[in-house]
Amino acid sequence: MKPRRIEDEVFQHLSGRWALQILLSLSNGPLRFIDLRRAIPTVSANTLTTRLRELEAIGFVERRQLPPPTSIQVYDLGEFGRGLRPTLEHLALWKADLCCSAFALRR
């Protein structure tokens, strides 16, 4: 069996369900878990947790604890996620154009 290339593994994670929505949500800055749930209301808490852990393991997402007295964790783009920021911005613009076009077609 042929070993998998690292880029194949990365693209598999990025093409997984919810990955792009998570990265798009975090491209505007750090968010608490509950804020991510609100930004992507159709994802379950378990699925969001799983996807965040996967994206964190490969460096697209970082999780950090806020200083006491809070025990809040926030998620932000990791090193590789920050490298994707320009692409994510273009993707967000494309998504907005697509939504506007679809809305105009329905009228």
Side-chain angles (χ1 to χ4, degrees):
M1 190 161 118
K2 190 172 155 181
R4 292 178 63 177
R5 298 180 313 173
I6 188 70
E7 59 268 21
D8 293 337
E9 192 169 326
V10 167
F11 282 119
Q12 181 180 357
H13 284 291
L14 289 178
S15 64
R17 188 147 189 197
W18 308 114
L20 287 177
Q21 291 94 326
I22 292 168
L23 295 173
L24 279 168
S25 297
L26 293 174
S27 67
N28 294 320
L31 292 173
R32 299 175 303 161
F33 183 85
I34 190 70
D35 295 326
L36 272 170
R37 285 281 320 271
R38 288 182 186 133
I40 314 167
T42 52
V43 67
S44 71
N46 288 340
T47 301
L48 181 58
T49 298
T50 301
R51 295 297 173 251
L52 284 167
R53 286 180 182 158
E54 289 172 356
L55 293 169
E56 184 180 7
I58 58 173
F60 283 97
V61 170
E62 291 177 344
R63 177 178 47 143
R64 68 179 192 276
Q65 183 96 17
L66 294 180
T70 68
S71 61
I72 296 172
Q73 294 182 346
V74 293
Y75 295 88
D76 201 357
L77 293 177
E79 180 182 352
F80 295 130
R82 287 188 295 273
L84 278 177
R85 188 172 271 136
T87 304
L88 292 169
E89 290 170 358
H90 285 291
L91 188 59
L93 290 172
W94 174 79
K95 179 182 169 187
D97 288 345
L98 183 65
C99 290
C100 290
S101 297
F103 180 74
L105 288 173
R106 289 182 188 159
R107 295 177 99 206

